[in-house]
Amino acid sequence: MTSWYEGPLAAFDTETTGVDVETDRIVSAALVVQDAPGFRPRVHRWLVNPGVPVPEAATAVHGLTDEHLQRNGRWPAPVMYEMAGELAEQAALGRPLVVMNAPFDLTLLDRELRRHRASSLERWFEASPLRVLDPRVLDKHLDRYRKGRRTLTDLCAHYDVALQDAHDAAADALAALEVVRSLGRRFAARLERLTPAELHTLQTGWHAAQARGLQAWFARSGTEETVDPSWPLRPELPAAAA
């Protein structure tokens, strides 16, 4: 029987106006689907005119300018609907969805759906639940004592995955997918008997534990930053706190 990491996988990634999931916007996104290792991936891309200025710092990361997005991007409402629909289709087909640092990308999409569609991401998965594989959470749990950063670039270097055109949504999604395949093989003894559904549940606890550890480290170092333990989607903030 083929292990999940040798079977069909999908991967999702976004590029944004910034790093605040409550206020920043998606400017591009990609869904990559691969039926098996070595198969040519199918790529669905979206380019969005976010309706707000794109900070220079964000453009410096992904290269997408206001002018380019206004000229070539689509309005957010139909794009967010399409994105959610494509992710829901992957869930209905039983394909696990790879999302690097899932609480960031999935929460951003959820907030965009609330903003432009008066909807939520969770509504799309009432019939078929989403099964997320987050390479950041998996790597931190399975190789917890390894020192160093764990960005996508770092994980690609560690797991011998080529990353070309970093911060292009499709390139990052494909790289994250390949990291998960490589990670699965490296830790096969611990992962091959687990289903994606079981791993999804386990990652919820693993991420929460990782968040508590990081929060404790921040407290010891005098940093006031708060770490959200929710995974793969952060809860909606009450209106008064938004």
Side-chain angles (χ1 to χ4, degrees):
M1 180 173 161
T2 302
S3 299
W4 58 263
Y5 48 83
E6 302 291 3
L9 292 176
F12 179 69
D13 187 75
T14 67
E15 297 300 328
T16 68
T17 60
V19 296
D20 188 333
V21 297
E22 302 299 338
T23 59
D24 279 305
R25 310 297 175 90
I26 295 173
V27 296
S28 71
L31 176 70
V32 174
V33 179
Q34 188 183 47
D35 293 326
F39 280 48
R40 184 173 182 174
R42 301 186 296 279
V43 180
H44 193 147
R45 299 173 181 267
W46 294 274
L47 191 66
V48 186
N49 179 352
V52 299
V54 181
E56 291 183 4
T59 297
V61 173
H62 49 59
L64 298 171
T65 64
D66 275 331
E67 181 182 3
H68 179 75
L69 293 170
Q70 289 171 12
R71 182 178 299 172
N72 302 288
R74 297 167 57 202
W75 288 112
V79 176
M80 301 310 154
Y81 184 90
E82 288 177 14
M83 286 184 199
E86 289 288 342
L87 298 191
E89 181 178 343
Q90 300 309 310
L93 292 170
R95 288 196 190 104
L97 183 71
V98 176
V99 189
M100 174 72 183
N101 191 17
F104 179 76
D105 293 83
L106 296 184
T107 303
L108 264 168
L109 178 54
D110 175 77
R111 301 312 189 252
E112 290 277 48
L113 286 166
R114 293 176 187 275
R115 184 178 295 123
H116 297 289
R117 303 291 309 192
S119 182
S120 71
L121 189 58
E122 290 179 329
R123 292 182 187 176
W124 287 87
F125 303 106
E126 292 173 349
S128 300
L130 191 62
R131 307 303 187 193
V132 176
L133 300 171
D134 188 333
R136 187 166 179 262
V137 174
L138 291 169
D139 176 71
K140 288 180 74 173
H141 177 79
L142 295 165
D143 199 0
R144 68 182 69 185
Y145 299 113
R146 188 178 83 251
K147 295 182 179 180
R149 287 156 41 94
R150 300 183 194 238
T151 65
L152 180 59
T153 300
D154 299 315
L155 294 185
C156 285
H158 183 71
Y159 288 101
D160 299 319
V161 170
L163 174 57
Q164 299 177 344
D165 300 322
H167 299 296
D168 170 84
D172 286 357
L174 180 58
L177 185 153
E178 294 293 354
V179 164
V180 165
R181 290 202 190 280
S182 182
L183 185 152
R185 296 179 191 117
R186 187 169 300 189
F187 296 99
R190 299 167 65 182
L191 294 177
E192 62 184 355
R193 294 186 179 182
L194 294 170
T195 67
E198 290 169 333
L199 271 174
H200 181 101
T201 300
L202 287 168
Q203 285 170 100
T204 302
W206 294 347
H207 179 270
Q210 293 162 10
R212 289 193 296 270
L214 183 57
Q215 190 71 74
W217 185 86
F218 281 151
R220 291 193 299 271
S221 62
T223 302
E224 296 183 357
E225 186 172 346
T226 300
V227 184
D228 195 319
S230 305
W231 184 96
L233 183 66
R234 296 180 187 174
E236 184 185 16
L237 286 175

